[in-house]
Amino acid sequence: MNYERPHVIESGAGEQITFVRIEKDPKGDKLIVENLVQPGSGPPMHVHHRQAESLTVVSGRIGVQELGKSPIEHGPGETVTFAAGVPHKFWAAGSEPLRCTGWIQPADNVEYFLTELYRSTRENGGERPKDFDGAYLGMRYAGEFDILEVPGFVKKVLWPLTVFFGKLAGKHKRYADAPEPVV
């Protein structure tokens, strides 16, 4: 999927990501991003199986937590980097919005995945993606991304049923041009 950059997405839940540009790199394209996160907001515990992610605080405070570790905070000028395969979450700690610059490498399908996930979340009132969209994207890109806060039963039983019946209803057509998963 080719996006005109800068490409801005909003979740409807206090998160905005600007995909600034792609930098070519022998280790894989590096997607340069800017984040604006409202106090208390941030993505749930998740993992990028293939991508490293790095965020440098411009203003505000970032709370971060890797799975199984205690949360910590960082302030302006500090950088946090999550290696590929490390489950993590972050949020705007404190009372002011968090502004970060950063990158994700390799870019793979993260821009498409997050664009569609945020669109669906926003359309669904900012709480979570619509059922079909979450199930479809979660299953299609499971080799690249995982939201750890979604129970295993939901992923293994309810998502396949939701996708099956959603396809019968034609809901999958919005994803006709979806990029192939990277495995």
Side-chain angles (χ1 to χ4, degrees), residues 71-86:
I72 55 175
E73 290 186 16
H74 299 277
E78 294 183 284
T79 299
V80 294
T81 302
F82 304 103
V86 174

Side-chain angles (χ1 to χ4, degrees), residues 47-52 83-85 105-106 108-109 143-145 181-183:
V47 63
H48 312 260
H49 296 297
R50 299 178 34 83
Q51 294 117 336
Q105 184 179 25
D108 291 342
N109 289 317
E144 295 178 61
F145 317 103
V182 179
V183 181

